[in-house]
Amino acid sequence: MSTDLLVTMSDYIYQPLKNATEDIRLLKLTFDIRQALGRANVNPLVGQLKNYPLPLTTLSRRQRMLRAALLPSFNALSYVWGNPARTHEIIIDNKRLGITENLYKALRDIQKDAIGDVYVWADAICICQDDLLERSAQILLMREVYHAAADVRIWLGSPTEEGRRCLKFIADLTGIYGPEESDMVPSEESKFEEMFVKGLLIPTAGIVRAGCGFGQSLVQITDILDSDVRDDKVEMVLDDDATLSLHHDRIQMLVEWKPHSRHFKTVQDEDFVFIANLIDHELIQSCTWFERMWVVQELGASETASILGYGKSVWWESFLRAVYFLNYSLEAPINNIRKLTGLEKIRQSWNSGKRQPLRDLIRECRYRNATDPRDKIFSLIGMMGDKMNTFLMPDYTKSVSEVYANATFHFIEQSGSLDPLCGWQRLGRQKQLPSWIPDYSLNQDLAASPLVPIDGRESIFTASGHDHRSKYMALDQQKLKHFWTHLPTSGLCIDTIAILSNPLPEDVPFGSIEHMWHSTISSSGGLLDGFTKDVQSCLEDISSVVSMYSKYWNSLDQFSKHLPSVSTKSPSTARLPKSPKSTDRLSKHSQSTDQLARSSPLTEKPLLYFEPKKPDPFLHVIYILDAYLHSLLCGQISTTERLTRDEIQKFMSLNLPTDTTNPERESFLAKVCNSLRAGMTRRCMAVTKQGYIGAIPQEAQQGDLICVLFGCSVPVVLRKRIGEEYSFIGECYLHGFMDSEAIVFHVKGEFQVQKFVLC
């Protein structure tokens, strides 16, 4: 087709779908023999758009069977849009349609792999992007599209030598190559060759399509007869913070997978650490596909997926096996492996009828990007276990702020609590967002460690009590339609922030943060009753212990910190600096019941141990010391455990010789170091006017209020605006007010209920 003819063509105009909530368009991509032969001057992309009813999982078996019979076998494309400029074109029904460069290249790669005409679903072509109502309706069908596809083709990008090498290594190691794998070398121009190959391929393509169509029909029939993905059959499950509890068996199978010896021989001369770094950099870290929001649903709903790009093709399963084998069996670290684990967990959950809550999914996808910020919510709706409601209905006519507000209203209504306001990244928020609405577009890895559960568990704190005041019951859906920017709350004002430490960068060791916090407390003596020289000396001892923990933690590499539970070897701690002698004051305030110390044999170089000390109540009688210690860890030793007196005494009685290779002791060290890092990072030490001590958000200022809101399990920091209006700064730890103490003061008449309208 000549360029002049393309110029004279009119633009393609979409015809409305008969029912945008049930029907989809499929692109029938025309086979190009020149593309298949690797010729330089290929024909223009040509195709047809046809409408088909989708066999929705919400329909009856009979309806799904009928629709499945009409639906051709097709590939669903998962790719990154890239530059939104429509610099390329595809000819559809003899009319031009502008498409992006990435979509053009992806379709060319699919066309090259095909042996005849191929049906493809690609969002930028099969959905009219200029029709906001159609976009909103089709979003709810996307999970069905990717679930019904014969293969989800993941296009990673344009060919590079490094990318080809990575995919070739994966294919060689696993012995399994992707669909229609081809390393065809461009041939000389030959009309005879084109006619011969075309004459051979076209009949073959018909047979292959018939076989694939039959196979896909069998899959669809099985899926219809015994479907675990129907919304009325699914189960919403909770995943504990920072664990792989969902489908642990599946993850363990990947960890334990080993290649056939014959396949391993083909790659045994490789530098495995180098190839692991190359895969991590080329296929994960530098590949924007792994950063994209929509891929969670596109891969998550798929039954079969393959990676296409870099001139190679491998199955998703092969990719996972190779990455896990390198990381765990060969101990060649792949730092971004958690991104793959998160995707596979969601995929396995969805296909087995187990759905994660939307709030969990948002957290899981915290580092992912979306061109449209509203898609941080809309792209996950098809995968969630939450029941659909008016708050979550996709609507691109609404602003980002309203979409995020509606999602937050849903979380509040679902939990009966204000806890969903807490635990989100505050720095870099979109300015137009009301202060209480989390900015779901931000990377939540940069947020301070949450003090409230992020997985639906019951909170370990009970700042607002156990009665009706522990529930938020002020949500009025009628008023929210017009006043969604304001959230009415009520509660108790505890005190005003008088002194706070300076914020420090997140990459500063927690020992340095504690040094700053120590200085803040030391300079607050005028506000603190009982701030004696003995107390100051004990604070110095606490700093000494924290410094030892920090030096130990900083001596470990990242692999040792994050993979102790799956590595067969304990991380080396030979670089741990020798600790100074414990002072008498430190010993005085230490006690432990550690059973490991009692069972450890005496050696010339003793292992890490905790010396049993005589109990001394002084440490726990003095509020300053108790509050300071608890604030360092925000009152918790893990996300599910409160900090106890025994834990504090074990923590304070630490001895650190040079040899600390005992796995059980290292486990305790890791637990404490993680808790210290989580407790202090991105927080400041604060002292209130009445002398209360706590850990508050870095965004807090002098004069801000610390309050307990009814329906919130932890205290929060608010900033006065006008009248009853306040800005929400974030949750905090305030020692002595985490367990209903404010409610007790209220019952005694010392605190009065106030209204706080968050805006």
Side-chain angles (χ1 to χ4, degrees):
M1 188 177 294
S2 67
T3 305
D4 293 338
L5 186 58
L6 286 173
V7 172
T8 59
M9 281 185 177
S10 58
D11 293 335
Y12 181 80
I13 299 176
Y14 283 90
Q15 298 300 312
L17 290 165
K18 183 178 179 181
N19 187 343
T21 62
E22 294 187 2
D23 298 344
I24 62 169
R25 301 183 184 93
L26 288 180
L27 171 67
K28 185 179 182 182
L29 192 60
T30 303
F31 176 69
D32 184 357
I33 185 61
R34 297 181 62 81
Q35 175 76 10
L37 291 172
R39 297 287 167 77
N41 298 318
V42 296
N43 295 315
L45 273 179
V46 178
Q48 296 175 288
L49 278 179
K50 296 185 176 182
N51 299 355
Y52 294 93
L54 203 59
L56 304 175
T57 54
T58 55
L59 299 174
S60 66
R61 286 183 180 179
R62 180 176 178 277
Q63 289 175 308
R64 292 188 70 196
M65 292 281 280
L66 290 174
R67 293 189 175 196
L70 298 174
L71 188 68
S73 178
F74 69 96
N75 293 330
L77 178 62
S78 178
Y79 72 110
V80 177
W81 276 37
N83 189 333
R86 300 177 183 182
T87 55
H88 292 67
E89 292 179 337
I90 181 173
I91 308 305
I92 296 180
D93 300 330
N94 295 317
K95 295 182 180 180
R96 300 180 307 173
L97 178 66
I99 58 175
T100 64
E101 180 180 10
N102 277 3
L103 178 54
Y104 176 84
K105 290 179 177 179
L107 291 176
R108 282 298 190 188
D109 279 351
I110 289 177
Q111 190 182 52
K112 183 177 181 180
D113 269 0
I115 55 173
D117 295 348
V118 59
Y119 284 91
V120 178
W121 190 92
D123 55 358
I125 293 177
C126 298
I127 298 176
C128 179
Q129 298 298 316
D130 298 325
D131 186 338
L132 295 182
L133 294 178
E134 181 177 300
R135 279 177 61 192
S136 300
Q138 291 277 284
I139 277 180
L140 296 177
L141 297 184
M142 287 182 64
R143 68 169 190 184
E144 309 280 357
V145 170
Y146 284 91
H147 186 66
D151 187 15
V152 171
R153 307 302 299 273
I154 300 169
W155 189 77
L156 294 183
S158 301
T160 65
E161 288 305 317
E162 293 82 3
R164 287 192 186 97
R165 178 178 176 181
C166 290
L167 292 187
K168 184 179 185 302
F169 172 86
I170 292 169
D172 290 344
L173 178 67
T174 60
I176 304 173
Y177 294 81
E180 294 114 24
E181 171 83 17
S182 174
D183 281 322
M184 184 172 289
V185 179
S187 59
E188 299 292 334
E189 294 286 341
S190 170
K191 290 292 183 182
F192 173 76
E193 182 183 25
E194 290 182 19
M195 293 175 62
F196 174 78
V197 175
K198 192 171 184 179
L200 178 66
L201 286 182
I202 296 301
T204 305
I207 298 172
V208 171
R209 278 200 305 273
C212 291
F214 178 72
Q216 180 63 10
S217 296
L218 289 178
V219 171
Q220 289 181 343
I221 290 172
T222 303
D223 185 54
I224 290 168
L225 294 177
D226 186 22
S227 178
D228 287 324
V229 301
R230 286 178 58 96
D231 287 342
D232 57 351
K233 291 186 176 183
V234 300
E235 171 191 1
M236 187 159 75
V237 293
L238 304 178
D239 190 16
D240 291 342
D241 297 350
T243 69
L244 307 179
S245 58
L246 282 177
H247 296 281
H248 178 76
D249 291 345
R250 163 66 175 162
I251 302 302
Q252 193 62 30
M253 285 176 61
L254 290 171
V255 171
E256 295 173 354
W257 178 84
K258 300 292 187 296
H260 191 281
S261 58
R262 177 166 52 88
H263 300 144
F264 186 72
K265 286 181 180 179
T266 64
V267 298
Q268 64 183 0
D269 294 331
E270 289 277 6
D271 181 336
F272 294 123
V273 172
F274 175 81
I275 199 70
N277 287 332
L278 195 64
I279 289 174
D280 188 48
H281 182 268
E282 289 293 320
L283 300 188
I284 307 177
Q285 183 178 346
S286 299
C287 183
T288 52
W289 184 87
F290 281 98
E291 308 296 328
R292 182 171 167 260
M293 279 298 302
W294 282 105
V295 306
V296 176
Q297 181 168 242
E298 294 164 1
L299 177 66
S302 69
E303 288 197 352
T304 305
S306 59
I307 295 176
L308 173 71
Y310 302 107
K312 289 284 183 181
S313 182
V314 298
W315 294 109
W316 170 256
E317 180 79 9
S318 301
F319 182 47
L320 289 177
R321 288 176 175 177
V323 167
Y324 274 78
F325 179 70
L326 284 168
N327 192 80
Y328 294 115
S329 296
L330 300 183
E331 295 188 352
I334 294 182
N335 295 326
N336 290 285
I337 193 172
R338 184 170 175 80
K339 294 182 179 180
L340 276 66
T341 302
L343 283 171
E344 185 61 12
K345 280 169 53 183
I346 293 171
R347 178 170 172 260
Q348 292 296 325
S349 295
W350 197 85
N351 280 286
S352 62
K354 292 180 173 60
R355 309 278 177 84
Q356 292 174 262
L358 178 59
R359 192 149 54 120
D360 276 17
L361 291 171
I362 292 174
R363 294 279 184 182
E364 186 69 53
C365 304
R366 57 195 174 274
Y367 55 85
R368 297 185 179 279
N369 302 316
T371 304
D372 188 329
R374 292 169 291 193
D375 288 338
K376 292 287 281 190
I377 304 297
F378 293 160
S379 65
L380 298 174
I381 287 176
M383 307 304 294
M384 68 182 185
D386 311 51
K387 297 296 183 184
M388 177 57 72
N389 55 49
T390 54
F391 286 136
L392 300 179
M393 192 63 66
D395 186 350
Y396 281 102
T397 65
K398 293 181 178 179
S399 66
V400 174
S401 296
E402 188 172 1
V403 170
Y404 285 10
N406 284 339
T408 308
F409 288 142
H410 165 71
F411 297 142
I412 292 173
E413 185 176 65
Q414 183 184 55
S415 64
S417 156
L418 292 176
D419 284 359
L421 305 186
C422 305
W424 301 94
Q425 164 70 349
R426 306 292 299 178
L427 292 175
R429 286 169 48 85
Q430 300 177 63
K431 293 182 179 180
Q432 73 273 18
L433 279 176
S435 65
W436 59 273
I437 301 175
D439 190 343
Y440 300 112
S441 68
L442 296 176
N443 182 353
Q444 303 307 326
D445 276 342
L446 303 180
S449 179
L451 299 180
V452 299
I454 60 175
D455 62 356
R457 288 181 292 105
E458 185 177 348
S459 177
I460 61 176
F461 300 112
T462 56
S464 59
H466 301 273
D467 58 9
H468 64 279
R469 284 165 287 212
S470 67
K471 298 294 182 182
Y472 179 77
M473 297 177 289
L475 211 58
D476 187 332
Q477 293 200 28
Q478 292 302 317
K479 289 184 179 180
L480 294 179
K481 291 181 180 179
H482 306 288
F483 303 102
W484 56 265
T485 58
H486 291 61
L487 183 68
T489 69
S490 60
L492 308 169
C493 181
I494 299 173
D495 206 354
T496 303
I497 297 173
I499 298 175
L500 71 164
S501 63
N502 294 324
L504 292 174
E506 62 181 272
D507 57 350
V508 171
F510 61 77
S512 299
I513 301 176
E514 190 281 332
H515 182 74
M516 171 70 75
W517 288 23
H518 181 192
S519 299
T520 301
I521 290 294
S522 298
S523 64
S524 307
L527 296 172
L528 301 171
D529 293 334
F531 195 83
T532 64
K533 289 184 179 180
D534 281 343
V535 170
Q536 180 64 42
S537 296
C538 288
L539 287 174
E540 291 173 359
D541 293 335
I542 293 171
S543 293
S544 177
V545 172
V546 173
S547 177
M548 286 189 284
Y549 278 111
S550 183
K551 289 176 182 178
Y552 163 76
W553 196 239
N554 293 329
S555 72
L556 302 181
D557 55 40
Q558 292 300 313
F559 187 71
S560 300
K561 289 179 182 179
H562 296 295
L563 297 174
S565 61
V566 291
S567 177
T568 57
K569 299 181 180 179
S570 298
S572 173
T573 56
R575 298 182 298 279
L576 181 64
K578 190 172 182 177
S579 66
K581 268 189 169 182
S582 299
T583 64
D584 292 338
R585 294 187 306 272
L586 181 59
S587 299
K588 175 184 177 184
H589 302 303
S590 303
Q591 176 190 8
S592 175
T593 57
D594 182 57
Q595 299 299 322
L596 298 176
R598 301 174 184 176
S599 61
S600 299
L602 294 176
T603 61
E604 292 183 3
K605 289 186 176 180
L607 298 176
L608 172 68
Y609 62 95
F610 301 92
E611 291 183 349
K613 310 287 184 181
K614 291 183 179 180
D616 190 313
F618 181 70
L619 182 66
H620 303 286
V621 169
I622 301 300
Y623 171 82
I624 298 171
L625 298 178
D626 205 27
Y628 185 68
L629 268 170
H630 277 80
S631 296
L632 293 179
L633 297 96
C634 284
Q636 51 190 0
I637 196 66
S638 74
T639 57
T640 58
E641 300 171 277
R642 291 289 295 270
L643 186 62
T644 65
R645 177 170 297 192
D646 286 344
E647 296 280 5
I648 291 176
Q649 290 168 341
K650 184 187 294 187
F651 168 87
M652 286 299 297
S653 60
L654 174 69
N655 285 267
L656 282 175
T658 55
D659 184 1
T660 57
T661 57
N662 183 289
E664 292 181 276
R665 288 160 176 75
E666 286 186 359
S667 177
F668 179 79
L669 271 173
K671 189 174 185 179
V672 171
C673 290
N674 270 314
S675 299
L676 285 167
R677 181 184 57 80
M680 287 186 274
T681 303
R682 305 182 188 92
R683 289 192 174 94
C684 296
M685 169 62 65
V687 180
T688 71
K689 287 184 177 181
Q690 298 298 319
Y692 300 125
I693 296 172
I696 63 173
Q698 283 189 340
E699 298 78 19
Q701 300 173 3
Q702 284 183 331
D704 287 345
L705 305 177
I706 298 182
C707 306
V708 169
L709 299 181
F710 296 153
C712 191
S713 65
V714 295
V716 299
V717 177
L718 303 181
R719 186 170 298 156
K720 179 77 171 178
R721 297 179 71 173
I722 301 173
E724 295 178 345
E725 293 185 356
Y726 294 80
S727 294
F728 181 85
I729 307 303
E731 80 272 28
C732 69
Y733 177 87
L734 188 65
H735 190 67
F737 288 92
M738 305 304 291
D739 297 292
S740 314
E741 294 90 344
I743 304 300
V744 174
F745 281 120
H746 166 58
V747 172
K748 291 180 177 180
E750 297 183 35
F751 288 164
Q752 302 302 316
V753 176
Q754 295 179 234
K755 290 184 178 180
F756 303 96
V757 179
L758 307 184
C759 56

Coordinates of all heavy atoms in Angstrom, one line a residue, residues 13 22 103 113 118 134 165 185 228 242 282 323 339 407 409 470 480 497 509 524 628 705 715 740 753:
I13 N -13.4 6.1 12.4 CA -14.4 6.6 13.4 C -15.0 5.4 14.1 O -15.6 4.5 13.4 CB -15.5 7.5 12.7 CG1 -14.9 8.7 12.1 CG2 -16.6 7.9 13.8 CD1 -15.8 9.6 11.4
E22 N -20.9 -5.3 28.3 CA -20.9 -6.7 28.0 C -20.1 -7.1 26.7 O -19.6 -8.2 26.6 CB -22.3 -7.3 27.9 CG -23.1 -7.2 29.1 CD -24.4 -7.9 29.0 OE1 -24.7 -8.5 27.9 OE2 -25.2 -8.0 29.9
L103 N 2.9 0.7 20.9 CA 1.8 -0.2 20.4 C 2.1 -0.7 19.0 O 1.9 -1.9 18.7 CB 0.4 0.5 20.4 CG -0.8 -0.3 19.9 CD1 -0.9 -1.7 20.7 CD2 -2.0 0.5 20.1
D113 N 5.4 -13.2 15.0 CA 5.3 -14.5 15.6 C 4.2 -15.4 15.0 O 4.2 -16.6 15.1 CB 5.1 -14.4 17.1 CG 6.4 -14.4 17.9 OD1 7.5 -14.5 17.2 OD2 6.4 -14.3 19.1
V118 N -4.2 -13.0 13.1 CA -4.3 -13.3 14.5 C -5.2 -12.3 15.2 O -5.2 -11.1 14.8 CB -2.9 -13.2 15.2 CG1 -2.2 -11.9 15.0 CG2 -3.0 -13.6 16.6
E134 N -17.6 5.1 27.6 CA -17.2 3.7 27.1 C -15.9 3.3 27.9 O -15.9 2.1 28.3 CB -16.9 3.7 25.6 CG -16.4 2.3 25.1 CD -16.2 2.3 23.6 OE1 -17.1 2.6 22.9 OE2 -15.1 2.0 23.2
R165 N 19.9 -11.7 25.5 CA 20.7 -12.6 26.2 C 20.0 -13.1 27.5 O 20.1 -14.3 27.8 CB 22.0 -11.9 26.6 CG 22.9 -12.8 27.5 CD 24.2 -12.1 27.8 NE 25.0 -13.0 28.7 CZ 26.2 -12.7 29.2 NH1 26.8 -11.5 28.9 NH2 26.9 -13.5 30.0
V185 N 16.3 -15.0 10.3 CA 17.3 -13.9 9.8 C 16.7 -13.3 8.5 O 16.1 -14.0 7.6 CB 18.6 -14.6 9.4 CG1 19.6 -13.5 8.9 CG2 19.2 -15.2 10.7
D228 N -13.7 -21.0 39.5 CA -13.4 -20.4 40.8 C -13.4 -18.9 40.8 O -13.2 -18.3 41.8 CB -12.1 -20.9 41.3 CG -12.1 -22.4 41.7 OD1 -13.1 -22.8 42.3 OD2 -11.1 -23.1 41.5
A242 N 3.9 -7.9 55.2 CA 5.3 -8.3 54.9 C 5.6 -9.8 54.9 O 6.6 -10.3 55.1 CB 6.3 -7.6 55.8
E282 N 17.8 -5.4 33.4 CA 17.2 -5.3 32.1 C 15.7 -5.6 32.0 O 14.9 -4.9 31.4 CB 18.0 -6.2 31.1 CG 19.3 -5.7 30.7 CD 19.3 -4.4 29.9 OE1 18.5 -4.3 29.0 OE2 20.2 -3.5 30.2
V323 N 14.3 -17.0 37.6 CA 14.6 -15.9 38.6 C 14.7 -16.5 40.0 O 15.7 -16.2 40.7 CB 13.5 -14.8 38.5 CG1 13.7 -13.9 39.7 CG2 13.7 -14.0 37.2
K339 N 8.8 -7.9 43.3 CA 7.9 -7.4 42.4 C 7.2 -8.6 41.6 O 6.0 -8.5 41.3 CB 8.5 -6.4 41.4 CG 9.0 -5.1 42.0 CD 9.6 -4.2 40.9 CE 10.1 -2.9 41.6 NZ 10.7 -2.0 40.6
A407 N -12.9 6.3 47.2 CA -12.2 5.1 47.7 C -11.9 5.1 49.2 O -12.1 4.1 49.9 CB -10.8 5.0 47.0
F409 N -13.8 6.8 51.4 CA -15.1 6.6 52.0 C -15.4 5.1 52.1 O -16.0 4.6 53.1 CB -16.2 7.3 51.3 CG -16.2 8.8 51.4 CD1 -16.5 9.6 50.3 CD2 -15.9 9.4 52.6 CE1 -16.4 11.0 50.5 CE2 -15.9 10.7 52.8 CZ -16.1 11.6 51.7
S470 N -15.0 3.5 69.6 CA -14.0 2.9 68.8 C -14.4 2.8 67.4 O -13.6 2.3 66.5 CB -13.6 1.5 69.4 OG -14.7 0.6 69.3
L480 N -22.4 13.3 51.4 CA -21.1 13.1 50.7 C -21.2 13.4 49.2 O -20.1 13.7 48.6 CB -20.6 11.7 50.9 CG -20.2 11.3 52.4 CD1 -19.7 9.9 52.4 CD2 -19.2 12.2 52.9
I497 N 1.9 20.2 70.6 CA 3.3 19.9 70.4 C 4.1 21.1 70.8 O 3.9 22.2 70.2 CB 3.6 19.4 69.0 CG1 2.9 18.1 68.6 CG2 5.1 19.3 68.7 CD1 3.0 17.7 67.2
P509 N 21.2 6.2 59.1 CA 21.1 5.0 60.0 C 20.2 5.4 61.2 O 20.3 6.5 61.7 CB 22.5 4.7 60.4 CG 23.4 5.3 59.3 CD 22.6 6.5 58.8
S524 N 14.8 19.2 76.5 CA 13.4 19.5 76.9 C 13.2 19.3 78.4 O 12.0 19.1 78.9 CB 12.4 18.5 76.2 OG 12.6 18.5 74.8
Y628 N 10.5 7.2 76.3 CA 11.5 7.3 75.3 C 11.8 6.0 74.6 O 11.9 5.9 73.4 CB 12.8 7.9 75.9 CG 13.9 8.2 74.9 CD1 13.7 9.2 73.9 CD2 15.1 7.4 74.8 CE1 14.7 9.5 73.0 CE2 16.0 7.7 73.9 CZ 15.9 8.7 73.0 OH 16.8 9.0 72.0
L705 N -1.8 19.9 67.1 CA -2.5 19.2 68.2 C -2.4 17.7 68.1 O -2.4 17.2 66.9 CB -4.0 19.6 68.2 CG -4.3 21.1 68.2 CD1 -5.8 21.3 68.1 CD2 -3.7 21.8 69.5
P715 N -3.5 7.8 68.1 CA -3.6 9.2 68.1 C -3.2 9.8 66.8 O -2.5 9.1 66.0 CB -2.7 9.7 69.2 CG -2.5 8.4 70.1 CD -2.6 7.3 69.2
S740 N -6.6 3.6 75.4 CA -7.9 4.1 75.9 C -7.7 5.1 77.1 O -8.7 5.4 77.7 CB -8.8 2.9 76.4 OG -8.9 1.9 75.4
V753 N -15.2 16.4 74.7 CA -15.4 16.0 73.3 C -15.5 17.3 72.4 O -16.1 18.3 72.7 CB -16.7 15.2 73.1 CG1 -16.9 14.9 71.6 CG2 -16.7 13.9 73.9

